[in-house]
């Protein structure tokens, strides 16, 4: 397993150490990138440093290349990412795992090469927590390493009981952090996925901003081309008196009225401890019946 | 003058009243839209209500149609805006004035019809302040109404003293709120302005988010097509210890290294009291020499 820092500087070194120790205790062979703790302004080293780290992760030959943390820093690297090396590594079996700012790399790599990466945990916030990491997250991560993870299931909210069942086959699963993904609209780094299953999450974004970003994807034609939209965890915002009832529920209602795609909520993915791993760029099936939803992939690297 | 509410609900009714009183005291004939104080969740009425208000502003025949306030609400109306009526009114001499969320209407109208609108004050926050409104803002507003405003000048920061003079002629001036404008990337509502002068401002957005949005415009090819970029006021954010020196100055440096366009800062426009009025969609000349910058327009409605 290769640990590197493509985005924000690691400030919580204790969490970093705990994360590495935890992964070792789980039996993993952990290699830490020499610049994993680099710092330049808010970044984990300047652009050249982070690009080199991404390059080393690509040539590490590791089973998993795991980001130390998200933050901000990949978007500005997009024109210079080592796409061929990353795609080759993904094909050879290195699973690139991360979330949040990492969405930029995942989307760009998918757009440019079609390679599959994994939306999943980060070292510090997930494995480096004080106390035990989330057991569902760890089980999913373990499944990935054993090559046994073939899907992720979750419970839909009660109001979905009466909804028509969803059945989507052989659709490309893609998505990630909404702000990062919407920030790629209009650029060559947003994958042009047709008939896909798009999953989204975000943190510290007020529902009106979530809606504005979804509107961008809607008006850009992106949402209209998807068969399903999976809404993950949207956390860290505070409702204000000005909202007068406007919240995530309003946003989901608004979304459902505007797209043909099935909109399923409560996907356990986002800036929360309990997160599944999801193959970005893999072909999946999605089924829901009553309150049960299940996304299944086949042979995703 | 016609006052209407296309975006967020007016909560500060005292400011609204003060603003109307101030405009009347300045000698203006003020007509208030019947739904100017409507409220539905966080919006100034539901979508149909706000669309109707925009339609009434377009057919009011007023010299100026001024928004009560920004907030959020226009982006989701974009496919349904009365573009023809707005363009016709603009041609007949109604100046649509506003900022922030209003940027969505201004950009979309420019993209769809080429019509000119005005980036400028809003009723509540500018004319409705307790005490006297900003005198520069009022003077610019007055100039607009007298048809005498032909330009806006400002002082550049000290470090620009040695910069090469800027001379741009017959370029389309456009821009507004960065978050709203970047949120149109990839959609048909972002004007395709070539060789333009793009001005930007924002509030409550951390510099890393400003940079991410600028990156979107950069990677979408928008910045590369401009002759000049005018950075207005970026306010309301707080630096964090994590930034370690990363701030708006870093963002401007980064921007200057990536675009051929002249990047001028300190434009007096944004979520601040002292703001000039700027014709969005008009042909302008831009000159700077030493610390003096001046944008001049001709016969903008």
């Amino acid at each position: 397993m290769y640990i590197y820092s493509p985005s924000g500087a690691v400030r919580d070194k204790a969490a970093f150490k705990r994360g590495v120790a935890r992964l070792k205790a789980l039996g993993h062979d952990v290699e830490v990138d020499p610049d994993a703790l680099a710092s330049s302004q808010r970044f984990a080293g300047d652009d050249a440093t982070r690009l080199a780290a991404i390059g080393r992760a690509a040539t590490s030959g590791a089973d998993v290349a795991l980001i130390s943390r998200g933050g901000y820093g990949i978007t500005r690297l997009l024109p210079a990412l080592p796409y061929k090396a990353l795609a080759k590594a993904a094909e050879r079996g290195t699973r690139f795992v991360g979330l949040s700012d990492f969405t930029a790399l995942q989307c760009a790599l998918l757009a440019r090469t079609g390679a599959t990466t994994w939306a999943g945990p980060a070292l510090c916030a997930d494995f480096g927590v004080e106390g035990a990491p989330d057991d569902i997250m760890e089980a999913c991560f373990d499944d990935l390493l054993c090559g046994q993870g073939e899907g992720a299931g979750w419970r839909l909210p009660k109001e979905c009981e009466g909804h028509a069942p969803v059945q989507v086959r052989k659709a490309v699963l893609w998505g990630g952090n909404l702000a990062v993904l919407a920030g790629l609209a209009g650029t060559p780094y947003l994958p042009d996925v047709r008939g896909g299953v798009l999953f989204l999450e975000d943190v510290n974004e007020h529902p009106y901003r979530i809606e504005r970003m979804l509107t961008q994807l809607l008006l850009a034609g992106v949402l209209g081309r998807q068969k399903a939209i999976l809404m993950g965890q949207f956390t860290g915002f505070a409702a204000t008196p000005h909202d007068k009832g406007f919240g995530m529920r309003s946003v989901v209602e608004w979304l459902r009225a505007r797209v043909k795609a099935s909109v399923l909520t409560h996907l356990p993915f986002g800036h929360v401890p309990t997160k599944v791993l999801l193959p970005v760029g893999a072909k999946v099936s999605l089924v829901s019946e009553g309150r049960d939803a299940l996304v299944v992939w086949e042979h995703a690297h």
Side-chain angles (χ1 to χ4, degrees), chain A residues 63-281:
Chain A
D63 50 355
V64 168
L66 180 68
I67 64 166
S68 62
R69 57 162 302 213
Y72 163 70
I74 292 179
T75 310
R76 55 189 257 166
L77 302 181
L78 289 180
L81 284 185
Y83 291 101
K84 278 188 189 168
L86 287 163
K88 204 185 243 181
E91 192 156 323
R92 284 182 183 162
T94 298
R95 289 85 154 199
F96 295 91
V97 180
L99 79 169
S100 201
D101 189 53
F102 194 62
T103 299
L105 184 147
Q106 299 185 278
C107 282
L109 188 62
L110 179 59
R112 297 284 286 264
T113 73
T116 298
T117 57
W118 290 82
L123 178 78
C124 294
D126 290 299
F127 292 102
V129 287
E130 293 189 72
D134 182 81
D135 52 358
I136 290 176
M137 180 280 294
E138 279 203 339
C140 291
F141 192 70
D142 200 48
D143 279 351
L144 171 70
L145 283 159
C146 302
Q148 295 190 337
E150 290 172 351
W154 73 100
R155 285 286 278 174
L156 299 170
K158 204 166 180 204
E159 65 263 26
C160 293
E161 249 162 9
H163 287 194
V166 173
Q167 281 229 356
V168 174
R169 303 237 168 262
K170 294 190 178 170
V172 172
L173 180 68
W174 69 299
N177 181 266
L178 175 56
V180 173
L181 192 146
L184 300 177
T187 81
Y189 305 100
L190 188 73
D192 182 19
V193 178
R194 314 256 160 167
V197 173
L198 174 64
F199 68 92
L200 299 166
E201 62 84 24
D202 221 321
V203 63
N204 300 337
E205 298 284 2
H206 188 281
Y208 90 81
R209 300 174 67 103
I210 303 290
E211 190 184 277
R212 192 168 62 190
M213 293 187 278
L214 288 170
T215 301
Q216 179 168 26
L217 297 178
L218 178 71
L219 299 179
V222 175
L223 300 189
R225 293 195 286 269
Q226 309 310 311
K227 286 189 184 152
I229 299 164
L230 310 182
M231 298 291 277
Q233 305 299 307
F234 291 81
T235 52
F237 61 87
T240 70
H242 177 54
D243 293 326
K244 295 220 184 283
F246 178 88
M248 278 311 295
R249 193 178 281 263
S250 327
V251 174
V252 170
E253 261 175 43
W254 169 89
L255 180 62
R256 285 195 170 122
R258 266 151 199 83
V259 295
K260 282 186 192 167
S262 305
V263 178
L264 300 181
T265 62
H266 288 54
L267 175 75
F269 184 73
H271 286 70
V272 290
T274 302
K275 52 171 75 76
V276 295
L277 278 86
L278 298 165
V280 174

